[in-house]
Amino acid sequence: MNNVFKGRSLCVIEDFSIDERRYFFKKTQELKRAILENNEAVMDSFRINDPDFGIYEVFLEDSTRTKESFRNAAKFHHAKVSELLCDSSSINKGESYADTFNMLSGYSNRIFIVRSKVEGLTKWLSEETSEYAERNHLPYKPAFINAGDGKHEHPTQELLDEFSFLERLNMDFSEIHLALVGDLYHGRTVHSKANGLKIFDKVTVDLIAPDELMMPENYIEIMKENGFKVNIYPSIENYLDCGDIAKIWYFTRPQLERMGERILKKEAELREAITFKREFIDRLKEGTKFYHPLPRHKEHPTIPTFLDKTELNGWEEQAINGMYCRMILLSLIAGKIGEDFSGQSAIEKDYKSEEYIVEVQPENKDNKEKNISEGVRPIRNGIVIDHICKGDSPEDIRKHIRLISSVIGLDNARGGEWISHGSDGKFKGIIFRPDVMDLSRKELKRLAAIAPHCTLNIIKDGKVAKKFRTHMPPRIYNFEDMSCKNEACISNPVNKEGVASKFYRTNDGGYRCAYCGKVHSFKEIWNKR
Ligand code: CP
């Protein structure tokens, strides 16, 4: 029977579908119960018990819980654990991540657990090492688990957080009302919640943080797109004054190591807004539980230690759940469990090919001459790109016209460009190039990505011989003159890994980086000239 989990990578939470995650939680609950009841027979049904199976931990950033819970989860499975000693590895001699992980893949390592400040690293490594495995005829493709990448995601933390919330909700997926408190700007665990919480049918999220630490707009947008109700509050004090307080609170610590000088200067004031105080206790709802991915800061914990011995403490069991969840994850990736899964798998997600240059009927069907002018003379032969950046300001349109001309390779041809009004009175840009008679498929794709919603007119003998409308391609990749503009992303040139950028179109007409998830406008993906 096909096991959809076997050999899978988990780089972002969406790498597992909602059905797959719900299956994961059910299995975690079964295993946790078996362990607590010391039911060896059930435990054995989850155990990998394969002497060749092992995990390889590569922690390029510090960790206690993630690293040690994976190590102990592997012990449960009687699997081996290897670790790259990052401080003394050849990465410090300037070796690329590609060379490092390809090599380790060749040494029979099949599951890598990787933490790094470089965003999208595991996603790219899973692609890179697959190619390496193929060209070296390895009998497997390595799987990658993202153990936290910069400010991006922490998908295994997300699984254990969701499992902990579900235990509190008696495994009921129908609804969650969750308060996220703390450093929502830098915290990857809260960013994973933008898609992670989709396992619940109805979601209300209260975001509690001062402006400097507020959740980035793109994650708030994702939450809203996912149908979540999102409320924003600047401090706990302010939140407690609102009528409808959540019973599940998720705190994070201020991530000082990721903050710039400007924010660090306001450290005390920011901590004040997101630290729970003794006098707030009476204002909480009955049955409230607090969670925290941990670590807490020993001097300035956002959940003070006097709460440890209260009913509010959900964070200790949450941390223990991390080990159960990681046991299940390894069991799934090893193919020990998963055959009884039924439902939609994320591996069935496919990007349908879609035409992005569509031929439309020229308006001069009766072949009447159309006044497409080159200065004062009508153009007789060549191309005219019309409706560029319709509705933008003339200054912005001019700027973009220059970029289009350069990206499509029209800079050295005769012709010109101008700004005019459309019939609706909005500004639009026009580029004309007499003598350029056609564009190649590659140029057309570039045109559609840099000038969507335009028309391309092919003019012959003074008439519009053909007319096309451009639409944003659903995917765009492998062009050297575009890049993700997030400097923390593995595909950004500053990281010098030579990773070709890749973007997927978003529902609202942006381009999302396939590695770090940053959303760009169609203008932003191209490099400045
Ligand atoms: N929650 C978490 O990721 O903890 P560590 O940084 O200790 O792994």
Side-chain angles (χ1 to χ4, degrees):
M1 213 171 156
N2 185 32
N3 187 333
V4 292
F5 293 100
K6 194 170 177 181
R8 286 268 289 281
S9 288
L10 179 65
C11 304
V12 290
I13 194 66
E14 287 276 85
D15 284 344
F16 281 7
S17 68
I18 293 172
D19 287 343
E20 286 172 332
R21 278 180 264 161
R22 288 181 173 184
Y23 173 86
F24 175 98
F25 301 128
K26 185 169 151 273
K27 291 291 165 187
T28 306
Q29 191 187 31
E30 281 171 30
L31 177 62
K32 180 174 176 179
R33 190 175 298 142
I35 291 174
L36 295 178
E37 290 170 359
N38 203 18
N39 185 334
E40 273 297 334
V42 176
M43 281 192 259
D44 262 346
S45 69
F46 287 91
R47 261 202 190 99
I48 299 167
N49 256 337
D50 173 357
D52 289 335
F53 185 88
I55 59 167
Y56 203 103
E57 295 195 321
V58 182
F59 279 74
L60 295 145
E61 272 192 336
D62 299 341
S63 166
T64 301
R65 270 145 294 272
T66 311
K67 189 172 169 183
E68 296 309 320
S69 59
F70 265 119
R71 184 189 295 278
N72 285 287
K75 224 177 197 172
F76 165 83
H77 287 296
H78 304 150
K80 65 176 189 266
V81 180
S82 312
E83 183 184 355
L84 184 71
L85 301 175
C86 298
D87 288 347
S88 54
S89 82
S90 290
I91 291 173
N92 303 320
K93 298 177 193 164
E95 185 169 27
S96 69
Y97 291 125
D99 281 355
T100 305
F101 283 88
N102 279 339
M103 197 72 261
L104 295 171
S105 306
Y107 297 160
S108 295
N109 294 299
R110 298 175 185 212
I111 301 189
F112 290 96
I113 322 280
V114 184
R115 172 172 288 187
S116 164
K117 66 177 185 331
V118 182
E119 298 176 14
L121 179 60
T122 49
K123 163 85 177 141
W124 172 66
L125 286 173
S126 66
E127 296 169 0
E128 181 68 20
T129 54
S130 288
E131 287 174 22
Y132 176 89
E134 212 163 292
R135 62 180 183 265
N136 287 286
H137 314 291
L138 301 182
Y140 53 83
K141 286 182 180 171
F144 282 82
I145 297 174
N146 178 7
D149 59 339
K151 297 197 292 285
H152 183 214
E153 281 225 26
H154 194 346
T156 65
Q157 180 73 45
E158 182 57 20
L159 289 173
L160 78 93
D161 291 346
E162 287 169 20
F163 179 72
S164 305
F165 303 154
L166 279 166
E167 282 190 317
R168 167 76 186 76
L169 297 168
N170 298 318
M171 303 308 275
D172 179 359
F173 292 95
S174 61
E175 189 172 351
I176 190 166
H177 182 184
L178 175 68
L180 298 178
V181 190
D183 187 352
L184 311 183
Y185 184 82
H186 300 92
R188 54 196 170 206
T189 67
V190 287
H191 299 166
S192 284
K193 287 181 174 41
N195 280 316
L197 295 170
K198 275 162 70 179
I199 57 156
F200 294 97
D201 298 333
K202 189 175 166 210
V203 179
T204 304
V205 184
D206 300 332
L207 305 174
I208 303 160
D211 282 351
E212 292 84 347
L213 304 181
M214 185 41 75
M215 181 82 82
E217 199 52 48
N218 62 314
Y219 290 108
I220 296 179
E221 275 310 308
I222 293 173
M223 287 182 168
K224 288 181 180 166
E225 259 181 45
N226 287 335
F228 303 178
K229 185 165 183 249
V230 181
N231 304 305
I232 292 178
Y233 304 90
S235 67
I236 297 177
E237 177 113 56
N238 181 286
Y239 178 52
L240 288 168
D241 287 338
C242 90
D244 189 18
I245 302 165
K247 284 166 91 170
I248 299 181
W249 290 46
Y250 186 89
F251 286 80
T252 62
R253 75 187 165 92
Q255 305 219 352
L256 303 177
E257 70 277 21
R258 300 187 205 282
M259 291 182 192
E261 278 303 310
R262 187 184 61 83
I263 304 182
L264 277 176
K265 272 188 196 147
K266 295 177 75 179
E267 189 187 327
E269 183 188 324
L270 299 177
R271 279 191 196 284
E272 171 80 9
I274 56 173
T275 299
F276 197 81
K277 297 196 185 97
R278 201 180 288 273
E279 62 263 31
F280 295 156
I281 295 179
D282 292 342
R283 296 163 75 185
L284 294 172
K285 280 189 178 164
E286 178 93 20
T288 298
K289 279 267 183 247
F290 285 179
Y291 298 89
H292 194 309
L294 306 177
R296 279 188 293 183
H297 192 283
K298 62 184 172 190
E299 281 181 87
H300 307 289
T302 48
I303 300 180
T305 51
F306 64 78
L307 293 175
D308 287 4
K309 292 183 188 140
T310 68
E311 286 296 309
L312 290 171
N313 187 342
W315 60 93
E316 288 179 351
E317 187 161 10
Q318 176 194 4
I320 297 168
N321 283 339
M323 186 182 66
Y324 301 128
C325 286
R326 286 162 180 139
M327 284 171 177
I328 290 298
L329 187 59
L330 296 181
S331 211
L332 287 168
I333 296 174
K336 176 68 186 175
I337 57 167
E339 284 189 354
D340 59 340
F341 167 76
S342 63
Q344 182 88 28
S345 170
I347 56 174
E348 290 153 19
K349 187 168 66 180
D350 72 309
Y351 292 92
K352 290 189 182 64
S353 65
E354 193 181 296
E355 202 39 81
Y356 42 83
I357 293 277
V358 179
E359 187 165 0
V360 289
Q361 280 297 319
E363 280 143 29
N364 53 336
K365 273 182 267 181
D366 55 357
N367 276 351
K368 268 200 303 220
E369 287 219 348
K370 183 170 169 154
N371 261 355
I372 294 177
S373 3
E374 175 194 5
V376 292
R377 287 172 50 204
I379 182 170
R380 288 209 59 80
N381 291 293
I383 62 166
V384 175
I385 304 167
D386 196 0
H387 297 100
I388 295 167
C389 298
K390 195 168 180 187
D392 286 0
S393 71
E395 189 189 356
D396 284 349
I397 296 174
R398 265 194 194 95
K399 221 187 274 172
H400 199 58
I401 280 177
R402 279 198 289 278
L403 186 64
I404 295 172
S405 173
S406 155
V407 163
I408 310 299
L410 300 175
D411 276 355
N412 293 323
R414 196 161 64 95
E417 38 271 325
W418 77 89
I419 313 278
S420 75
H421 277 128
S423 51
D424 53 6
K426 289 183 178 163
F427 287 114
K428 61 173 188 164
I430 301 172
I431 297 176
F432 65 91
R433 292 289 183 272
D435 307 334
V436 175
M437 289 312 298
D438 221 338
L439 295 178
S440 68
R441 182 79 193 160
K442 188 172 157 189
E443 286 162 340
L444 285 173
K445 184 163 193 182
R446 288 164 72 81
L447 177 68
I450 197 170
H453 322 301
C454 290
T455 52
L456 168 67
N457 300 276
I458 312 287
I459 313 295
K460 281 191 182 146
D461 299 326
K463 293 166 192 152
V464 180
K466 278 189 173 178
K467 184 170 182 154
F468 299 92
R469 188 126 20 235
T470 59
H471 301 279
M472 285 177 78
R475 277 160 299 178
I476 182 147
Y477 49 94
N478 272 347
F479 290 127
E480 280 175 5
D481 51 353
M482 59 183 205
S483 60
C484 173
K485 300 301 180 275
N486 171 13
E487 290 200 352
C489 177
I490 184 67
S491 71
N492 186 289
V494 297
N495 288 307
K496 298 186 171 51
E497 287 280 339
V499 179
S501 46
K502 197 191 301 187
F503 298 95
Y504 295 117
R505 190 182 63 203
T506 60
N507 290 341
D508 57 353
Y511 274 121
R512 186 184 305 283
C513 171
Y515 299 106
C516 74
K518 181 180 166 63
V519 177
H520 304 68
S521 73
F522 66 85
K523 297 176 184 175
E524 282 169 334
I525 61 174
W526 303 94
N527 295 338
K528 284 214 171 76
R529 285 138 210 272

